[in-house]
């Protein structure tokens, strides 16, 4: 079958069970008997699709290629899940939407896009007799760029996530992602407890494929296993290093470079998959960086600041304190757009301005530590 073709697989809505969702996607677990679908999850978009099937397929293929050939070489190909593109008929989607009732209250204002024609099958990380933890660790470093204006020097001391919490929530989370990214067990434990207390969209736990609250699992035992896995795998240490190395200038230094590139016609169009692949190669060889390269590296850093880390722990609960088998995957790896550069600049300044308004004196400001 050509990569341009969609897999045509019989789909029956009664064979799929709702597993969870984010802002843009909703996920279902296969419960039927078709061998080619066993141990696979179906990812579908939410919202409303208006583009042609060919355009949808191209976007899905580009996203798959970006994950495999761009993100994979950076973080390790072993963490990238296989993706199968499948045709999803309107009738199947309509029936599935009608059958999907048990959703979180804050998600019910959005629905399955019944007009989409392409779904994505990925290996099931929500299997029976397992517990799966989804972490969205966010930004993992304090920027030290000399391009940061003196008025914004708080960025050097307070991490992006901790400042952003004050803009997004009346009661900020106690989480500092820098604890999660550390290689210190006590700090990782502290971060996990903060996530359990206020998960927001940074922590989700699935038991036997069903999303649940941390109060319904043996949290102390799960933490013990998670800390062991995170220290052994070092995936967060790798993400932290890449985020920092790809974002050397901070948005305050990158945005003028972006504007200069646009004026020269270099950044006028969204990058192709080939552009991204070339950018990763140039980054890894540490060659002299053009304006285009600087901007693409910044966008790659933004991708890595927004990924999720899935950890599936098999044969849960563990017995006799032993370390179980597990699998780790990195998901939510879609490319970021050049068109959002102005938005990134404005949001960064809004976050700082709001934090300084609430905490004008250094003595009242938090101090984050890497």
């Amino acid at each position: 079958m050509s990569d341009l073709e969609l897999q045509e697989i019989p789909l029956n809505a009664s064979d799929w069970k709702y597993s969870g969702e984010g802002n843009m996607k909703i996920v279902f677990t296969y419960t039927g008997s078709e061998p080619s679908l066993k141990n696979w999850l179906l990812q579908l978009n939410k919202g409303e699709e208006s583009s042609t099937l060919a355009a949808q397929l191209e976007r899905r293929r580009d996203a798959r290629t970006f994950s495999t050939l761009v993100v994979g070489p950076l973080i390790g190909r072993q963490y990238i899940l296989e993706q199968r593109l499948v045709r999803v008929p309107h009738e199947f989607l309509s029936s599935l939407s009608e059958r999907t009732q048990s959703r979180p209250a804050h998600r019910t204002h959005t629905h399955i896009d019944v007009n989409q024609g392409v779904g994505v099958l990925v290996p099931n990380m929500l299997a029976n007799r397992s517990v799966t933890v989804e972490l969205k660790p966010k930004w993992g470093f304090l920027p030290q760029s000399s391009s940061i204006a003196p008025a914004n020097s708080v960025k050097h001391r307070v991490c992006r996530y901790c400042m952003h919490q004050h803009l997004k929530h009346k009661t900020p989370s106690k989480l500092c992602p820098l604890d999660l990214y550390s290689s210190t067990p006590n700090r990782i434990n502290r971060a996990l407890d903060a996530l359990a207390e206020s998960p927001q969209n940074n922590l989700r736990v699935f038991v036997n494929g069903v999303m649940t609250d941390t109060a319904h699992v043996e949290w102390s035992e799960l933490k013990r296993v998670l800390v062991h896995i995170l220290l052994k795998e070092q995936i967060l240490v790798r993400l932290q290093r890449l985020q920092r190395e790809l974002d050397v200038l901070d948005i305050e230094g990158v945005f003028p470079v972006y504007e200069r590139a646009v004026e020269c016609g270099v950044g006028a169009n969204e990058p192709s998959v080939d552009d991204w692949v070339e950018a990763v190669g140039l980054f890894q060889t540490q060659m002299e960086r053009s304006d285009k390269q600087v901007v693409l590296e910044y966008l790659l850093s933004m991708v890595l600041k927004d990924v999720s880390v899935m950890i599936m722990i098999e044969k849960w609960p563990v017995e006799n304190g032993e370390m179980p088998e597990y699998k780790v995957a990195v998901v939510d790896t879609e490319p970021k757009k050049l068109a959002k550069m102005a938005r990134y600049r404005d949001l960064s300044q809004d976050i700082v301005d709001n934090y300084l308004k609430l905490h004008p004196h250094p003595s009242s400001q938090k101090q984050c530590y890497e």
Side-chain angles (χ1 to χ4, degrees):
M1 176 178 292
S2 167
D3 188 51
L4 296 175
E5 294 179 315
L6 284 173
Q7 294 186 26
E8 297 279 354
I9 297 175
L11 294 173
N12 189 324
S14 62
D15 292 334
W16 295 90
K17 179 182 71 174
Y18 170 80
S19 291
E21 60 190 291
N23 291 331
M24 306 296 293
K25 298 177 183 177
I26 186 167
V27 179
F28 296 86
T29 303
Y30 185 67
T31 61
S33 57
E34 169 58 42
S36 65
L37 294 175
K38 279 192 173 182
N39 301 317
W40 290 85
L41 297 177
L42 177 64
Q43 287 183 353
L44 297 170
N45 287 337
K46 299 194 294 184
E48 187 170 342
E49 179 61 67
S50 59
S51 60
T52 65
L53 181 62
Q56 294 176 49
L57 179 56
E58 182 178 10
R59 282 203 309 272
R60 292 287 203 181
R61 284 194 296 111
D62 284 350
R64 180 176 64 181
T65 304
F66 183 85
S67 179
T68 304
L69 298 184
V70 178
V71 179
L74 290 171
I75 65 168
R77 290 180 174 85
Q78 69 271 29
Y79 296 117
I80 302 298
L81 294 175
E82 178 187 354
Q83 296 183 30
R84 297 163 55 192
L85 305 184
V86 294
R87 181 78 168 89
V88 283
H90 177 83
E91 297 76 11
F92 165 74
L93 295 172
S94 297
S95 179
L96 194 62
S97 181
E98 292 173 2
R99 296 172 61 89
T100 306
Q101 304 297 331
S102 302
R103 300 171 62 197
H106 70 285
R107 297 293 189 188
T108 54
H109 67 286
T110 59
H111 304 281
I112 297 173
D113 174 9
V114 297
N115 295 316
Q116 64 190 300
V118 184
V120 180
L121 290 172
V122 296
N124 188 1
M125 294 282 287
L126 308 175
N128 287 330
R129 290 208 63 201
S130 73
V131 60
T132 300
V133 176
E134 180 180 352
L135 297 171
K136 188 172 280 291
K138 305 302 285 187
W139 295 46
F141 70 101
L142 292 169
Q144 300 302 319
S145 171
S146 59
S147 299
I148 294 173
N152 296 335
S153 63
V154 67
K155 289 182 179 181
H156 299 312
R157 304 184 300 276
V158 187
C159 79
R160 160 69 172 248
Y161 180 89
C162 288
M163 284 195 287
H164 201 181
Q165 283 288 298
H166 291 269
L167 184 63
K168 293 172 66 177
H169 303 284
K170 289 184 178 180
T171 304
S173 169
K174 296 176 183 177
L175 169 70
C176 178
L178 304 191
D179 286 337
L180 193 62
Y181 280 98
S182 76
S183 296
T184 306
N186 287 344
R187 292 183 65 187
I188 299 174
N189 268 295
R190 181 168 65 197
L192 291 172
D193 280 334
L195 283 168
E197 181 180 326
S198 179
Q200 297 182 18
N201 70 333
N202 303 104
L203 172 71
R204 293 196 295 179
V205 177
F206 302 83
V207 177
N208 297 326
V210 179
M211 190 163 61
T212 188
D213 189 90
T214 54
H216 299 128
V217 296
E218 184 54 55
W219 181 238
S220 60
E221 177 64 7
L222 182 54
K223 272 197 307 174
R224 181 185 73 85
V225 175
L226 287 173
V227 170
H228 172 86
I229 293 171
L230 290 173
L231 290 174
K232 181 179 179 181
E233 289 293 318
Q234 295 284 289
I235 181 61
L236 294 186
V237 173
R238 189 176 306 186
L239 281 175
Q240 181 188 52
R241 175 180 61 80
L242 288 166
Q243 288 178 13
R244 190 199 326 268
E245 292 178 357
L246 288 162
D247 180 10
V248 176
L249 299 179
D250 186 77
I251 186 63
E252 293 186 46
V254 170
F255 195 78
V257 178
Y258 163 70
E259 290 184 308
R260 187 167 66 228
V262 171
E263 288 177 3
C264 295
V266 176
N269 299 316
E270 292 296 334
S272 66
V273 171
D274 289 340
D275 289 330
W276 288 118
V277 171
E278 180 184 35
V280 169
L282 292 173
F283 167 72
Q284 291 176 326
T285 55
Q286 296 294 306
M287 296 181 64
E288 185 176 350
R289 297 148 74 233
S290 64
D291 287 351
K292 175 183 177 181
Q293 180 69 15
V294 168
V295 174
L296 291 186
E297 285 185 11
Y298 177 79
L299 290 177
L300 285 171
S301 180
M302 294 299 288
V303 171
L304 299 181
K305 293 165 185 168
D306 206 30
V307 298
S308 294
V309 178
M310 303 283 291
I311 303 172
M312 182 178 73
I313 303 166
E314 300 177 6
K315 297 181 181 179
W316 183 266
V318 297
E319 298 179 358
N320 304 320
E322 297 179 357
M323 292 311 303
E325 297 292 322
Y326 64 87
K327 180 177 182 179
V328 178
V330 174
V331 299
D332 299 335
T333 58
E334 291 81 3
K336 302 299 184 182
K337 292 186 176 296
L338 282 171
K340 287 193 172 182
M341 287 294 291
R343 169 60 178 158
Y344 293 146
R345 177 202 56 189
D346 295 344
L347 178 59
S348 177
Q349 195 59 53
D350 288 346
I351 289 170
V352 171
D353 289 345
N354 179 74
Y355 188 79
L356 291 177
K357 180 180 178 181
L358 296 172
H359 303 278
H361 303 294
S363 61
S364 68
Q365 295 167 5
K366 185 176 181 178
Q367 175 66 65
C368 299
Y369 297 94
E370 290 190 20

